[in-house]
Amino acid sequence: KKRRKTSMTAIYKRELRACFNSFIGWLFLAVVLFFTGLYVTANNLAQGSAYLTYALQSSLIIFIVAVPILTMRILAEERKNKTDQMILTAPVSVWKIVLGKYLALETVFAIPCAVLCLYPLLLSRYGTIPYGETYVSLLGFFLYGSAAVAVGVFVSSLTESQVIAAVVSVVFIFIGYVMAGICNLISPTGNLLTKVLKVYDLTTPFIDLINGNLKLTSLAYYLSFIFLLLFFTTQSIQKRRYSVSVKHLGRGAYSIGLIAVTIGANLLLHQVPSEYTEFDVTKEKLYSLTEDSYQVMDGLQEDITIYVLSPESSMNLDVIETLKRYESYSDHIRVEYVDISSNPEFAGQYTDAQVSERSLIVKSDKRSKYIDYGDLYQMELSYETYGYEMTGYDAEGQITSALHYVTMEDMPKVYLLEGHGEGALEAGFLSVLEKLNIEYETLNLLTVDEVP
């Protein structure tokens, strides 16, 4: 046991030295730090944004080129120089050999990530930084890059040509980067094919994390993805050690079982209610519901359907996450996405208003209520840019109000007196009445005998 532990450590140190004894490790550090620094300068310093997430999201494309450069030689060079025979006969398992090499590459990748962790501290000198969202985004950035490194290591085990390993890695990482867009082109509403393809969607779990919603399902996806890729790498190397035999067939059955368990664990985690697997780390608590919303949902006695007038792939992620909170908390609430471009007559069943895409319709057996997309966000005119800027997020307030409206028995009404020089009520006050589900009507006491 001591020899095996020492051998794995020796492989790790050997690969780490090899990265920095050549120009590859330094080139990788230079490329990642240069482009991430460029995006931070453009988004945070030049534009004054407090969110590092925009720079990190823009930087993902760097991995398509940078990671294959780092990983192309890790196993392909061993195979070309025939030094892999020495490794295969070494007193250490193939799994530990692969893990030692992978951890060496991860150490190299961790260096620019550690530098990025200093950026929020430097930016805090110029304003308020949302630390929770920022560092969860950095965690997502690290996991995305780690998954890309695992892809590169696996591809390097398949060939003895470093050039082929680099080119194929570029293709595989690029496919993982654009898979969400490919699935959206195939079917905006989703089908069996897109569900299968999304298994290799590397970007969506990252997007979930950079929005300030710490999802255990996203963490589990990346960790299981890395584990499976490293496992496939060991199987690729093992093929050169064993010929087809009963022992080899036994290994195949073990491999299938391990893959099934990993996939099953991910699927099981997705079935756990989001209140146990998702944690709101946003400064404004965008995805957390208040006690008022929980009280309204606790009082529900009938089923409610929330229609989203948009395919899920085109809807804002923050609204999607808010709706998931409602749906996971109450069994009486169901969310459905409707593409009104292909079904333009749908909204006419529930409202006479001129509907807009990405709006909501909340429906019960009693009545329905239309929530315009513009009401989900609070906008104010900026006198610096002379354009409207988002200053708040009110999806919870609008949805909870609609739930109350479609389930209440009696509709309260406010009468606004007129005829005695009363001042007109401001539009803001009237919108508050509407949000409280209170109808209002003008009343002139000179023309009626009594207040209704």
Side-chain angles (χ1 to χ4, degrees), residues 181-251:
I182 294 173
C183 292
N184 189 38
L185 287 175
I186 295 174
S187 175
T189 57
N191 55 30
L192 180 60
L193 177 59
T194 58
K195 288 181 180 179
V196 174
L197 292 177
K198 282 183 178 179
V199 172
Y200 193 63
D201 179 8
L202 299 181
T203 307
T204 298
F206 172 78
I207 298 297
D208 290 337
L209 292 173
I210 68 171
N211 283 303
N213 196 16
L214 179 58
K215 286 188 173 183
L216 296 184
T217 52
S218 297
L219 301 183
Y221 171 82
Y222 280 126
L223 294 177
S224 59
F225 182 89
I226 293 168
F227 171 77
L228 285 178
L229 263 293
L230 295 182
F231 177 75
F232 292 151
T233 303
T234 61
Q235 297 303 297
S236 174
I237 297 174
Q238 290 281 19
K239 279 187 175 181
R240 301 198 297 276
R241 176 181 281 188
Y242 299 102
S243 59
V244 177
S245 61
V246 175
K247 184 176 183 180
H248 184 69
L249 293 175
R251 287 181 174 275

Side-chain angles (χ1 to χ4, degrees), residues 391-412:
T391 58
Y393 176 65
D394 193 34
E396 181 193 357
Q398 296 293 335
I399 295 171
T400 298
S401 172
L403 291 176
H404 188 248
Y405 173 81
V406 300
T407 56
M408 62 196 307
E409 296 293 338
D410 300 316
M411 303 297 295

Side-chain angles (χ1 to χ4, degrees), residues 406-427:
V406 300
T407 56
M408 62 196 307
E409 296 293 338
D410 300 316
M411 303 297 295
K413 178 180 285 188
V414 166
Y415 290 94
L416 309 179
L417 298 182
E418 63 178 7
H420 295 84
E422 293 89 351
L425 293 179
E426 296 181 354

